[in-house]
Amino acid sequence: MSTYLFYDTIRLNASAGGVLNVSEVLLQSMRLSSDDKVQAISERHPRIYGAARRLKISRFVLDTMLYNFHRARTRLSGERVFSLFPNYFLPFSPFGRHRDSIVVVHDLQYKSYPQYFSRPKRLWLDWSLCRIARSAADVVFISRSSQKDFERHFARCERAAVIFNPVDTGASGAGGTAGTTTSGGRYLIAAYHYYPHKNFGGILTLFERMKRQGLVDYLDITGNGAADVERMIAAMAPALRGAVRHRGLVSREELFRLYLGATAFISLSTFEGFNLSAAEAATLGVPLLLSDIPVHRELFAGYGFFVGGEPCDLDLLARHLAGHQRTRPVWQHSRDCAPGTVAASYLTLKRSRASLTRAMQ
């Protein structure tokens, strides 16, 4: 039996957003393994973690201190311990090239949108990702698109793998059927926080066209950014302003209910590393209206409707929605993204290495 230390110190970063959600689901799923022991670092060292939270110590400092402590300890004890870092950072260490580590690279958004990142942050990310490229750690990319993006800017990793994010819709996906729980009109659902790359302007434009065509009645938006959305809504025709409803932060249960009642989920992002919200909606059987970017094609080809740079053909869109309603297609990657499947893939990374080492002895 191997021991995995899961560096959940990402919880110290209150703005981690979707990465934190993915990290939590992955940790809980890996813990269900009967062949390995998986423990959060915050539980292995509760006092140190608590002090770091109170004193606002950087997770990078905490990770470095605890990782090197455990590396030194295992050298003395001979115990097999692996470390999993769920968000791009490998601690500096004098103990080799991190062959005992797994690190997850989500995306390189700062390369596509440098204007939204300070110069020190960009330099820090460059340094961190260069170290990952030179390491012997198992580097997990959440999509092939993200891996290609990484390799375009950095070197090809010695040990690279693509493992999709875990998508957890809980019991909500068991009995619901998309589009059958609507109340108060037909609506599109845009379930994510406001960021410039999410292209809310494009969403509002397409929604306006769809409403005038009689395809939907409302656009429901969840997450942070109500003030930004309100500013954009103010430029719309008065008759349309009341058709955009910003619901703010909602519970997971309410979010899944909104998914299931929607005519379609909409995301016209100009950049994504994975798009967890779209994957959640697809897992629940909800139609997707998506921007035509590489990762959307990779994940949702054959399922979603893609909106390119030109104004989309609303007749084609309407036929797609009607066909989806009639055939109820299953998203082809729903099984790949099941939390148990994803957890097993992570654990297999090190099992495969250990088996190969034993075979060569």
Side-chain angles (χ1 to χ4, degrees):
M1 174 178 285
S2 298
T3 297
Y4 288 80
L5 294 179
F6 193 105
Y7 281 73
D8 61 334
T9 49
I10 191 174
R11 293 174 178 173
L12 297 174
N13 182 2
S15 61
V19 174
L20 178 57
N21 175 264
V22 168
S23 174
E24 296 283 353
V25 174
L26 179 59
L27 171 59
Q28 296 307 318
S29 302
M30 290 180 68
R31 277 176 151 163
L32 299 177
S33 170
S34 58
D35 298 320
D36 300 283
K37 179 182 179 183
V38 180
Q39 187 174 24
I41 205 74
S42 62
E43 295 175 359
R44 176 67 73 94
H45 301 283
R47 292 184 179 178
I48 295 175
Y49 179 82
R53 182 183 288 278
R54 289 193 305 273
L55 299 174
K56 300 187 184 304
I57 295 174
S58 166
R59 72 177 179 93
F60 307 121
V61 173
L62 188 59
D63 283 2
T64 299
M65 179 181 69
L66 293 178
Y67 175 73
N68 284 292
F69 167 76
H70 283 286
R71 287 290 286 136
R73 185 172 177 271
T74 54
R75 284 200 166 195
L76 295 174
S77 67
E79 182 185 8
R80 180 182 293 161
V81 176
F82 300 119
S83 296
L84 195 157
F85 301 95
N87 192 25
Y88 84 79
F89 178 68
L90 280 177
F92 177 78
S93 175
F95 297 108
R97 298 176 58 231
H98 296 89
R99 291 186 181 276
D100 64 326
S101 301
I102 301 171
V103 61
V104 185
V105 176
H106 291 265
D107 61 59
L108 272 68
Q109 184 182 335
Y110 81 104
K111 288 293 190 184
S112 297
Y113 291 94
Q115 65 270 33
Y116 301 123
F117 296 80
S118 67
R119 186 170 185 274
K121 179 68 171 180
R122 296 197 305 270
L123 291 173
W124 167 254
L125 289 167
D126 278 341
W127 179 77
S128 297
L129 296 175
C130 278
R131 291 182 62 246
I132 286 174
R134 295 194 300 267
S135 77
D138 285 280
V139 183
V140 174
F141 297 95
I142 60 172
S143 65
R144 296 197 184 282
S145 298
S146 187
Q147 181 183 13
K148 289 178 181 178
D149 201 16
F150 182 93
E151 292 175 354
R152 188 162 55 248
H153 296 284
F154 304 99
R156 179 170 295 185
C157 299
E158 182 179 317
R159 297 177 175 178
V162 173
I163 303 176
F164 293 153
N165 279 336
V167 179
D168 181 18
T169 57
S172 300
T177 303
T180 62
T181 61
T182 55
S183 61
R186 301 158 299 168
Y187 61 90
L188 300 178
I189 179 69
Y192 30 84
H193 303 308
Y194 177 90
Y195 293 107
H197 72 277
K198 292 297 185 181
N199 189 17
F200 275 85
I203 292 171
L204 291 173
T205 298
L206 181 56
F207 163 68
E208 182 174 354
R209 291 185 63 215
M210 291 179 67
K211 181 173 173 58
R212 293 187 186 280
Q213 187 89 351
L215 298 178
V216 289
D217 303 305
Y218 298 99
L219 169 65
D220 279 7
I221 301 171
T222 68
N224 293 323
D228 295 289
V229 173
E230 185 63 33
R231 172 179 48 81
M232 301 179 76
I233 293 173
M236 299 177 71
L240 293 169
R241 293 173 192 167
V244 181
R245 305 180 294 202
H246 198 290
R247 296 178 176 271
L249 294 172
V250 299
S251 67
R252 296 289 287 172
E253 293 76 13
E254 175 66 6
L255 177 61
F256 296 145
R257 189 191 70 78
L258 288 169
Y259 281 148
L260 288 168
T263 298
F265 171 92
I266 184 168
S267 173
L268 302 185
S269 297
T270 55
F271 175 88
E272 292 286 349
F274 181 82
N275 202 332
L276 182 61
S277 296
E280 289 173 341
T283 299
L284 294 170
V286 181
L288 304 180
L289 307 182
L290 302 171
S291 52
D292 197 354
I293 58 176
V295 73
H296 284 165
R297 286 284 181 180
E298 175 186 348
L299 291 170
F300 305 110
Y303 185 92
F305 182 89
F306 297 100
V307 179
E310 298 296 324
C312 72
D313 187 324
L314 292 186
D315 290 333
L316 283 177
L317 190 157
R319 287 198 292 272
H320 173 82
L321 294 178
H324 194 288
Q325 179 75 16
R326 183 177 64 257
T327 61
R328 301 291 183 188
V330 175
W331 179 41
Q332 64 172 331
H333 291 303
S334 57
R335 187 169 297 179
D336 301 328
C337 294
T341 302
V342 174
S345 296
Y346 273 86
L347 294 169
T348 298
L349 291 173
K350 293 304 184 186
R351 286 190 196 136
S352 298
R353 308 291 183 206
S355 299
L356 180 61
T357 301
R358 286 194 295 269
M360 295 177 65
Q361 289 176 344

